[in-house]
Amino acid sequence: MKLNTIIDKKIEDIYNAKMIYWVALFFSVSFLIRLILFLAPIESLTTLQGDEYAYSSMAESILNGTGWHDYAGRASYLPPLLPIILFLNYSVFDVDYNSAKILMIILASFVAPTIFAVSKTLFPNKFWISFTAAVIVTLYPPSIYYSNMLLTENAASLFVPLILLSYLSTSKTNSLLLTVISGLLWGLAALNRPVFLMLPIFMLVSQMLLQLTFKNIHWKWKPTNWIIGIIVMLITISPWTIHNFIVHENFVPIHTASGYMMLICNGKLNHPDIQKGLFYYKDEHYQKTLNDNLSEIEKDGLAMEMALSEISENWRLLPKPILNRAKNFWSWRPDPYDTNFTLNDLVMALIYIPILIFFIFGLFKCNFQNSWPAIVIILYVFITILPFWGSPRFRFPVDSLIIMMASFGIISAISIIKNKSAELVKINPK
């Protein structure tokens, strides 16, 4: 038996080993790498920064029995899942930020084994695609960095491949249990990041359009799966929606931040920062109009009204910000708005630009009828940032899927090179 055949057989045996081995391997390596950063004396990671403080303040208010509100007294401005997770952690370990960060590291460490399982399902019998994707995710600098922060990024980056895995598995089996799990994951993802609220509808519409376009597609759900999954999702988010209705006497599915987000991104379309695809929140008119005499729900509604009014009056100024938001979403720079080029920019250029190149190559080489669920989820996250500002931070939840498709591109490129080399050897045996 030839050596190559023996090696291929060994690889196949390893690839078909029980998933628990791969989960243990990639989780352990991911956890150790992220723990090393946790132990490093980096000031920006040892103290709470920005949104971390907001999420933690809500968890602490729940723990202290003073109600559901953040440091600014807002009851529904933040999505509730991360504060609930932190509250449960603080209930056991008191208000210990280090223990909470260890919990974030654990969540982030499950992303690599999950993307291995997704790749194995989407590209069966393609060991090196699964392995390459999991290794890159394990070593991916943004994943390592965010894992040490109390932010929604960690849960979001795990929910995305879990949602895809459950969708693929349900499609293969039509299992009622997996359908329920999918609905639960959709609901939890929306409670963690409201941007995912319409993801199942987007996937349903995409499936319907693809079925009209192609004679046959893989990974399609039956109508009963969609009905059950969406009902389970609605049930999952309903306690929080009911809470919001009791507090505000208005229908608020997830949070009251949409209006303000729209306002700071579109309320002054002629401002240079907004034209760059960023946001601008220091306008005195905002502060005077959205005064403290208004309720949280009134501020949200008024902010949305102001944003939509500006868009309708100055719509000609909107295309440039949207194009810049799109560009900055795909940027390799951690902060594409920073005028200074930093070492972080160089590191991410060396890592992300090849990923993006092979991702694009993979899109052209893959069978779209097979890969469409992953591509549709990436497309959904991309589209939903366009009304707001664009940043790699908003891309981060689907980075693992982009890396998976890039891994497909890498292995496809290697295969093409091998085949071309073999053909040249046959032509010129000497």
Side-chain angles (χ1 to χ4, degrees), residues 149-364:
M149 305 187 78
L150 308 183
L151 296 173
T152 60
E153 274 77 359
N154 294 301
S157 66
L158 179 57
F159 278 133
V160 165
L162 283 176
I163 285 171
L164 180 55
L165 181 61
S166 68
Y167 181 86
L168 300 176
S169 301
T170 302
S171 179
K172 287 175 64 176
T173 63
N174 285 316
S175 165
L176 175 62
L177 176 60
L178 289 174
T179 304
V180 171
I181 291 173
S182 295
L184 179 64
L185 289 171
W186 285 336
L188 292 175
L191 291 172
N192 181 64
R193 272 197 171 184
V195 69
F196 289 107
L197 183 61
M198 297 302 294
L199 176 59
I201 303 301
F202 190 81
M203 294 187 71
L204 170 58
V205 172
S206 297
Q207 177 184 307
M208 294 170 63
L209 292 175
L210 289 171
Q211 286 179 298
L212 292 173
T213 305
F214 300 100
K215 290 183 178 179
N216 187 35
I217 62 169
H218 299 293
W219 317 116
K220 53 181 180 256
W221 276 22
K222 295 180 178 180
T224 51
N225 295 122
W226 285 111
I227 293 169
I228 293 171
I230 291 174
I231 288 174
V232 171
M233 176 189 178
L234 294 175
I235 292 172
T236 302
I237 68 174
S238 62
W240 180 248
T241 305
I242 293 170
H243 160 269
N244 289 339
F245 186 81
I246 292 172
V247 172
H248 304 293
E249 297 183 351
N250 276 275
F251 177 68
V252 181
I254 305 292
H255 69 161
T256 58
S258 300
Y260 185 68
M261 296 281 286
M262 281 290 289
L263 180 62
I264 65 174
C265 296
N266 303 282
K268 201 174 182 64
L269 286 173
N270 61 352
H271 194 277
D273 286 347
I274 291 179
Q275 284 293 304
K276 292 176 184 176
L278 191 55
F279 54 85
Y280 179 71
Y281 62 90
K282 296 180 180 180
D283 191 273
E284 292 183 4
H285 179 61
Y286 297 169
Q287 311 305 326
K288 290 179 180 179
T289 306
L290 304 177
N291 59 67
D292 293 335
N293 295 326
L294 296 175
S295 68
E296 183 178 337
I297 195 72
E298 288 172 334
K299 288 181 181 180
D300 183 55
L302 181 57
M304 180 65 76
E305 183 181 326
M306 292 166 64
L308 295 179
S309 175
E310 171 70 6
I311 291 172
S312 66
E313 291 177 8
N314 298 293
W315 58 269
R316 292 179 181 83
L317 298 175
L318 193 58
K320 184 177 179 181
I322 290 178
L323 289 174
N324 282 326
R325 292 164 191 171
K327 180 189 70 175
N328 292 329
F329 177 88
W330 293 101
S331 174
W332 76 87
R333 301 186 64 199
D335 183 1
Y337 305 102
D338 190 348
T339 55
N340 298 316
F341 194 86
T342 67
L343 178 61
N344 290 338
D345 293 320
L346 176 61
V347 170
M348 285 308 300
L350 296 174
I351 294 171
Y352 185 72
I353 291 177
I355 289 174
L356 186 59
I357 291 171
F358 282 110
F359 168 71
I360 295 170
F361 180 73
L363 291 181
F364 284 101

Side-chain angles (χ1 to χ4, degrees), residues 82-138:
L82 180 56
I84 291 173
I85 292 173
L86 295 178
F87 159 72
L88 295 174
N89 184 85
Y90 294 162
S91 298
V92 177
F93 300 103
D94 203 0
V95 183
D96 181 358
Y97 300 145
N98 287 332
S99 67
K101 290 190 176 186
I102 292 293
L103 181 58
M104 295 296 103
I105 290 173
I106 291 173
L107 290 177
S109 298
F110 275 112
V111 177
T114 304
I115 204 63
F116 181 90
V118 171
S119 303
K120 190 174 182 181
T121 306
L122 200 60
F123 305 108
N125 304 318
K126 301 289 185 181
F127 169 77
W128 290 113
I129 295 175
S130 304
F131 183 79
T132 302
V135 169
I136 294 175
V137 170
T138 298

